[in-house]
Amino acid sequence: MSKGVLLVNLGSPKSTDPKDVKKYLDQFLMDERVIDVPYLLRAFIVKGIVLNTRPKKSAEAYQRIWWDEGSPLIVLSERLQEKVDIYTGVPIALAMRYGEPSIKQGLQELVDKGVDKVLLMPLYPQFAMATTETILVLAEELQKEFFPQIKFTTVPPFYNHPDYINVLSRSIAEKLEGVDYEHLLFSYHGVPERHIKKSDVTNSHCKIDGSCCNTPSPAHQFCYRHQCLETTKQVAKTLQLKEGTFSTSFQSRLGFDPWLKPYTDRTIENFGLNGMKKMAIVSPAFVSDCLETLEELGMEGKEIFEENGGEEFTLIPCLNDREDWVKTLSRWIDEWAMQPETQNA
């Protein structure tokens, strides 16, 4: 069997034109694992409300962070793929869950190179319905319909993998070297609280309180909140951060349902109102900088902090195409590629 790897990231509009943004938002928000309500209600929310109000505003946000080469997330993902391809001995393709290149295109690229055993590598450290799960479900659907000869292996969430924690910690330490800051905020993309309970394989453990994420349980294998908190905990331990100098929050909520708390924007606002002058922020739910990191945190977050009395706001970049991150991914891929077929079936 010939092996290959499909790196999968979130995706991006084709351009900052509101029409392209609308098309992207339609595909993204109509995913039943992103807005997990019955189809007719989802269609009413997305097509009846969101797509008639949000594309222009979102297009303006994308315009603020767009690069000459295109979408930062796409460009950075391409750079990552190209570098990993150099280090590894198997074909590496890139796909986006929404937009292009699509997962179908990525799989076709590998098949055209003679690949029939694919390592699916969602570029998300933590598991969530709206990220990892939707990639795996779509990949399986495509495999059944178009690529019956392919067999999949999937990289599990790496939120607490020592290699990932070490690279993330190093990237944070490098950015903060010589920077005087009072607090480091770990901001993760938010999800509705109901997603946490829906992913609970025990149907009883997740209470979203102060204890369930710290009490060992099989539920943690699919608990986004636990995995985010654990990433923060492991990085804080590695960097020997003092208690009280760091915390976790969740950004990018949509609609009126309860989402994971505390909310990033309100946390930043409270920092400023309570007299904090210097803060730093990192977003470990993403491995590539994108709208949520560059615009929502780097621009909007900075504005909120400064409007409420803050003075210095340090945004820590995502791992992007850092050399140590590239080498880590390449090592994971080579370890998989070198396993005997019996272990890889």
Side-chain angles (χ1 to χ4, degrees):
M1 297 180 81
S2 179
K3 298 177 179 178
V5 178
L6 186 64
L7 304 176
V8 189
N9 214 331
L10 177 69
S12 174
K14 192 175 181 179
S15 76
T16 60
D17 186 305
K19 290 180 181 177
D20 285 334
V21 174
K22 183 176 182 178
K23 182 179 178 182
Y24 171 77
L25 289 176
D26 187 17
Q27 186 187 8
F28 175 44
L29 297 176
M30 281 303 292
D31 185 335
E32 64 183 358
R33 285 173 173 76
V34 174
I35 298 183
D36 56 322
V37 297
Y39 177 82
L40 290 178
L41 177 56
R42 185 165 67 253
F44 172 73
I45 294 170
V46 176
K47 298 179 184 294
I49 302 174
V50 177
L51 296 185
N52 289 314
T53 58
R54 190 159 171 170
K56 186 174 183 292
K57 183 180 179 182
S58 292
E60 291 170 355
Y62 276 109
Q63 287 164 11
R64 296 180 79 187
I65 58 108
W66 210 257
W67 292 351
D68 291 341
E69 308 100 298
S71 158
L73 181 140
I74 302 288
V75 174
L76 289 165
S77 299
E78 290 172 343
R79 290 178 187 172
L80 180 66
Q81 176 210 1
E82 289 164 4
K83 289 186 176 182
V84 170
D85 197 32
I86 293 171
Y87 280 109
T88 56
V90 296
I92 310 291
L94 175 68
M96 300 292 148
R97 176 57 183 87
Y98 311 102
E100 295 185 349
S102 68
I103 292 178
K104 184 182 177 184
Q105 289 171 313
L107 290 173
Q108 187 64 59
E109 181 184 330
L110 292 174
V111 168
D112 290 345
K113 292 179 179 178
V115 170
D116 52 12
K117 184 152 187 64
V118 175
L119 178 65
L120 284 174
M121 186 172 276
L123 292 172
Y124 302 110
Q126 301 84 18
F127 174 90
M129 278 176 54
T131 55
T132 315
E133 185 175 306
T134 187
I135 287 173
L136 304 184
V137 168
L138 178 58
E140 292 289 349
E141 290 173 356
L142 292 168
Q143 185 260 348
K144 288 176 183 175
E145 186 173 356
F146 301 104
F147 309 104
Q149 74 276 33
I150 285 180
K151 290 187 177 180
F152 286 138
T153 303
T154 304
V155 173
F158 47 87
Y159 66 97
N160 63 347
H161 194 297
D163 293 348
Y164 166 69
I165 295 298
N166 286 337
V167 171
L168 177 60
S169 299
R170 197 178 302 123
S171 73
I172 293 171
E174 287 175 7
K175 181 65 179 180
L176 293 182
E177 188 174 354
V179 174
D180 181 23
Y181 70 96
E182 298 166 62
H183 196 93
L184 172 59
L185 184 62
F186 291 78
S187 176
Y188 298 83
H189 199 288
V191 300
E193 290 184 353
R194 66 176 180 275
H195 282 204
I196 302 299
K197 294 181 178 178
K198 276 189 175 183
S199 299
D200 181 1
V201 292
T202 70
N203 293 317
S204 60
H205 180 79
C206 292
K207 305 287 194 298
I208 314 182
D209 57 14
S211 65
C212 62
C213 281
N214 295 314
T215 305
S217 169
H220 291 171
Q221 183 181 355
F222 301 105
C223 180
Y224 179 71
R225 184 175 184 271
H226 163 79
Q227 294 183 9
C228 292
L229 295 175
E230 190 64 22
T231 298
T232 297
K233 181 179 173 181
Q234 294 294 335
V235 171
K237 182 179 177 182
T238 302
L239 294 178
Q240 298 182 328
L241 301 178
K242 293 180 181 177
E243 200 66 40
T245 65
F246 66 94
S247 58
T248 295
S249 63
F250 298 91
Q251 65 188 84
S252 314
R253 62 193 182 277
L254 175 70
F256 301 101
D257 293 335
W259 281 50
L260 291 181
K261 299 181 183 67
Y263 299 139
T264 294
D265 53 357
R266 292 180 185 171
T267 300
I268 293 173
E269 180 182 11
N270 288 334
F271 282 165
L273 291 174
N274 291 329
M276 188 182 297
K277 298 301 179 186
K278 302 174 182 180
M279 68 166 288
I281 193 164
V282 65
S283 192
F286 302 95
V287 298
S288 305
D289 275 309
C290 53
L291 185 73
E292 286 80 3
T293 63
L294 299 172
E295 199 272 341
E296 186 179 353
L297 296 184
M299 295 178 183
E300 288 185 23
K302 185 173 187 286
E303 289 168 9
I304 292 171
F305 189 57
E306 292 175 348
E307 285 170 2
N308 289 281
E311 295 174 0
E312 293 182 23
F313 185 94
T314 303
L315 176 68
I316 298 165
C318 292
L319 298 181
N320 296 325
D321 60 340
R322 284 176 57 97
E323 198 69 14
D324 50 2
W325 175 229
V326 170
K327 289 181 177 178
T328 293
L329 283 180
S330 302
R331 186 168 63 254
W332 291 351
I333 290 166
D334 283 341
E335 287 171 356
W336 167 78
M338 289 186 291
Q339 288 176 11
E341 291 298 341
T342 51
Q343 289 180 249
N344 252 327

